[in-house]
Amino acid sequence: MDTQSIIIGAVILALCILPLAAGHISKKKKDNKIINALRKFASLHSCGISVYDIWLNSIIGADENRRAVFFIKAQEGRQEGRTETMQHLWLEDVLECRVQVKRNGTAIEKIDLVISRKDTTEVRLEFYNVKTSIQLGDELQLAHKWETFIRQGILQKA
């Protein structure tokens, strides 16, 4: 192999790798931003975050010691700009938790984690909505994971 072929090969390889690396760095920055937002939100309630999951523009996390769950969903709107839905729940106030899946035929349109409180109010944490997300990923598995987490937390006494 001559030097010119090596240089051309290295340039082509760099052109293939750079977009992937830039995408990875961008995702890490975005994830860190939403993790920091969740930690800040938790600190307003004198809590920390010991466990969390991130998907798309959403994050759910919990302070296992203080028995609190925090949820943030950021959305980009055309006229409104960026909006955030923020929810905070104390597990001692939760009566029941279930995953609700809305379907249109065989296609999933919406996935909510529905949490019933002891004061008879209901909180819906939206994990997926076909109107705001093009492709369904791990949202259903994550909703079931957090349903189990919250149910186990309800059974535990502080």
Side-chain angles (χ1 to χ4, degrees):
M1 244 198 239
D2 61 1
T3 307
Q4 187 177 12
S5 296
I6 293 173
I7 293 171
I8 291 172
V11 168
I12 291 172
L13 183 62
L15 289 174
C16 293
I17 292 176
L18 284 176
L20 296 174
H24 178 72
I25 291 168
S26 174
K27 183 179 179 340
K28 278 291 189 193
K29 283 183 182 179
K30 182 179 163 189
D31 287 355
N32 285 337
K33 187 175 179 181
I34 199 164
I35 291 167
N36 289 335
L38 186 72
R39 287 189 172 131
K40 185 176 179 182
F41 181 43
S43 71
L44 296 174
H45 300 278
S46 301
C47 293
I49 297 297
S50 55
V51 61
Y52 64 86
D53 282 304
I54 301 172
W55 68 101
L56 297 175
N57 291 324
S58 303
I59 186 168
I60 188 169
D63 183 329
E64 294 172 293
N65 294 330
R66 300 283 321 273
R67 302 185 57 213
V69 175
F70 302 90
F71 176 81
I72 298 176
K73 182 175 185 92
Q75 294 178 326
E76 299 288 337
R78 289 186 188 157
Q79 284 119 13
E80 319 84 53
R82 185 178 172 95
T83 60
E84 288 184 344
T85 302
M86 301 173 89
Q87 295 284 341
H88 162 254
L89 301 160
W90 295 106
L91 291 181
E92 62 198 32
D93 297 334
V94 175
L95 185 63
E96 181 188 28
C97 179
R98 70 187 189 291
V99 174
Q100 186 175 58
V101 180
K102 181 180 176 187
R103 295 178 186 270
N104 183 3
T106 58
I108 294 176
E109 288 188 344
K110 192 170 182 184
I111 301 170
D112 287 330
L113 186 60
V114 182
I115 300 165
S116 302
R117 294 184 180 174
K118 291 178 181 175
D119 66 2
T120 69
T121 59
E122 201 172 75
V123 176
R124 292 179 171 270
L125 306 180
E126 186 179 87
F127 276 64
Y128 174 77
N129 190 331
V130 73
K131 293 178 183 174
T132 57
S133 302
I134 296 171
Q135 187 172 354
L136 180 64
D138 296 334
E139 291 88 344
L140 186 57
Q141 291 87 348
L142 286 174
H144 282 295
K145 173 186 172 181
W146 282 91
E147 174 191 30
T148 302
F149 179 88
I150 291 170
R151 284 185 174 182
Q152 288 173 346
I154 294 169
L155 298 174
Q156 293 176 350
K157 299 293 179 198

